[in-house]
Amino acid sequence: MATATAFDVTAIRADFPILGTEVHGTPLVYLDNAATTQKPRAVLQALQEYYASSNANVHRGVHYLSGKATDLFEDARARIGRFIGAADPREVIFTRNATEGINLVAQAWGRANVGAGDEVLISAMEHHSNIVPWQMLCEEKGATLRVIPMFDSGELDMDAYARLLSPRTRIVAVSALSNALGTVNPVEQITRAAHEAGAIVLVDGAQAAYHMPVDVGAIGCDFFVLTGHKLYGPTGIGVLYGRAAILDAMPPWQGGGDMISSVTFERSTWNVLPYKFEAGTPHIAGAVGLGAAVDYIGAIGMDRIQAHERELLAYGTEALRQVPGLTLIGTAPRKASILSFVMDGIHPHDLGTIVDREGVAIRTGHHCAQPVMDRLGIPATARASLAMYNTREEIDALVAALHKARKVFG
Ligand SMILES: *Cc1c(COP(=O)(O)O)cnc(C)c1O
């Protein structure tokens, strides 16, 4: 397994069995990491071992296996909490994904704290998962959804943000890193300004969590969500971090087993954090697998991963700029390794199909950020998103495939 002594991309690639796949008779070049990342053997083994030797329900049984499963589950919570800088594992709530974390906050916190005339502030580059739950809340409560505008480069207009904040603003919900554009947003500054205005802050960290070191304490945010499958972990598991004081004051969200301390037909009382927000049997294996994923990342070092991806981003940006008729979409100075682009005369979907024939997996479409496309006046983009195991040679393969597409379309 790769270790912290050097960033050895060949050794890292050997940890990911799927990267040896061939598609259409050529080696797979997987550049769709913003949609989901591949899984290292350490994660696959953790899932297998959990079911093979530790499977039981958690928090319920006095028997040996239930104790073992509970220990593994709670240990994973603690390690994932440390990975994002959470002060206390009680502040780490397991969800299905980032989307569920945002819905939990919009519904449990939002319904209790947002009323008619209040405002919810999001940004122009949010994923649909950080738009629609707030729209639903605002509609239900007679509140207003406001949007921080962005410049053509894909940077947020921070002066406009300052003007939009008001005593009516209850919560600011922004992405730390845009999946459609790659922009890294100044979430510390955004949080400070929101707090000064009396609002709380939710940071959507679905992309940031696997591209850069995250410290929720340093950001100062009240909520932070991530999704396991983008963090080299399993699907079906995610995390909502919340400050204990806010979570304690919130009503529960879903009702059921595990989230109660007592139940009678007259009334029920709620369990302590984090269980108050974890109704029903959780994705135990998923949590264990995500724990293995953050251990794997930790052994390599997130700062090394970030440095490798920065180098690839610079190389890829330069290489794509040389392709005739190609325009990069999203050129913010603070950017992570996501390359969105359009090509004159070729619809992104056709482009995606042609490069797939060359073994190159990229995403085409609106990337669950339709308002970004509307704002920039384009129907869709092609997107190559890079992760720790990608190489310069893979970027060369993408560029060669794009030249081929150029020939097909003249
Ligand atoms: C992927 C993504 C989400 C949603 O993640 P799910 O796993 O589908 O819940 C939210 N925000 C951003 C920025 C994303 O990239």
Side-chain angles (χ1 to χ4, degrees):
M1 197 180 105
T3 65
T5 50
F7 193 88
D8 180 350
V9 74
T10 309
I12 287 172
R13 290 182 70 80
D15 292 338
F16 290 78
I18 207 171
L19 296 180
T21 305
E22 290 209 339
V23 294
H24 310 304
T26 53
L28 168 69
V29 174
Y30 186 75
L31 304 179
D32 192 19
N33 295 288
T36 200
T37 54
Q38 301 302 346
K39 320 305 172 199
R41 199 171 278 109
V43 169
L44 305 179
Q45 281 170 352
L47 292 170
Q48 159 80 21
E49 274 169 34
Y50 169 75
Y51 282 121
S53 65
S54 311
N55 179 55
N57 211 330
V58 291
H59 305 140
R60 295 180 192 184
V62 293
H63 62 80
Y64 171 80
L65 272 186
S66 179
K68 193 172 173 193
T70 303
D71 288 349
L72 285 171
F73 182 67
E74 291 304 329
D75 198 49
R77 188 196 307 277
R79 276 155 35 236
I80 296 160
R82 279 199 293 279
F83 180 77
I84 56 168
D88 185 335
R90 292 186 311 137
E91 300 181 312
V92 177
I93 294 158
F94 283 123
T95 60
R96 278 191 304 140
N97 46 37
T99 304
E100 189 174 68
I102 297 168
N103 277 281
L104 193 165
V105 175
Q107 292 179 30
W109 181 87
R111 282 188 182 140
N113 291 283
V114 175
D118 285 342
E119 293 180 358
V120 172
L121 189 49
I122 62 171
S123 92
M125 65 179 86
E126 296 312 312
H127 188 283
H128 296 164
S129 293
N130 200 28
I131 302 174
V132 182
W134 305 114
Q135 265 171 345
M136 292 164 72
L137 173 69
C138 287
E139 188 155 327
E140 182 181 322
K141 292 295 183 172
T144 305
L145 189 67
R146 298 226 179 271
V147 182
I148 309 163
M150 68 173 189
F151 300 113
D152 288 350
S153 61
E155 285 166 277
L156 289 182
D157 181 342
M158 294 297 284
D159 293 333
Y161 171 54
R163 287 193 299 273
L164 280 163
L165 282 171
S166 83
R168 288 183 301 279
T169 315
R170 302 308 322 273
I171 186 166
V172 178
V174 288
S175 169
L177 203 170
S178 158
N179 66 304
L181 302 166
T183 310
V184 175
N185 286 321
V187 284
E188 292 88 350
Q189 194 187 335
I190 289 170
T191 300
R192 226 178 301 120
H195 284 169
E196 277 163 20
I200 67 161
V201 176
L202 176 143
V203 172
D204 175 355
Q207 290 295 328
Y210 74 97
H211 284 301
M212 56 203 281
V214 166
D215 182 344
V216 291
I219 297 170
C221 56
D222 303 281
F223 295 109
F224 182 96
V225 297
L226 63 79
T227 195
H229 69 94
K230 293 182 187 173
L231 192 51
Y232 305 100
T235 52
I237 186 78
V239 162
L240 165 66
Y241 156 85
R243 284 205 295 114
I246 295 189
L247 291 173
D248 263 329
M250 270 161 65
W253 182 41
Q254 294 178 326
D258 255 7
M259 56 74 70
I260 47 80
S261 85
S262 73
V263 176
T264 66
F265 288 119
E266 287 68 43
R267 73 184 281 272
S268 302
T269 58
W270 316 136
N271 202 342
V272 295
L273 293 178
Y275 313 112
K276 183 169 103 178
F277 295 104
E278 292 181 353
T281 301
H283 186 6
I284 308 164
V288 171
L290 185 55
V294 302
D295 289 350
Y296 178 80
I297 294 165
I300 295 168
M302 188 49 102
D303 40 1
R304 283 163 199 272
I305 293 170
Q306 190 181 27
H308 172 71
E309 290 183 6
R310 266 201 193 122
E311 197 270 330
L312 282 182
L313 174 67
Y315 182 79
T317 303
E318 202 40 48
L320 288 183
R321 282 212 172 106
Q322 309 296 323
V323 177
L326 186 149
T327 307
L328 283 168
I329 305 294
T331 51
R334 282 188 73 206
K335 231 191 114 165
S337 54
I338 293 175
L339 290 155
S340 253
F341 56 93
V342 292
M343 271 174 85
D344 290 346
I346 313 180
H347 192 279
H349 288 298
D350 295 331
L351 201 55
T353 306
I354 292 173
V355 304
D356 176 62
R357 297 305 304 177
E358 307 299 314
V360 181
I362 59 171
R363 197 74 160 188
T364 58
H366 54 58
H367 317 295
C368 296
Q370 239 171 304
V372 171
M373 303 299 132
D374 295 343
R375 162 66 181 77
L376 298 173
I378 49 180
T381 75
R383 180 187 71 189
S385 48
L386 311 169
M388 66 161 98
Y389 39 66
N390 288 124
T391 64
R392 285 183 174 217
E393 290 71 27
E394 291 182 305
I395 292 170
D396 294 343
L398 168 66
V399 169
L402 294 176
H403 279 291
K404 210 156 197 174
R406 182 85 279 165
K407 281 215 189 77
V408 172
F409 282 85

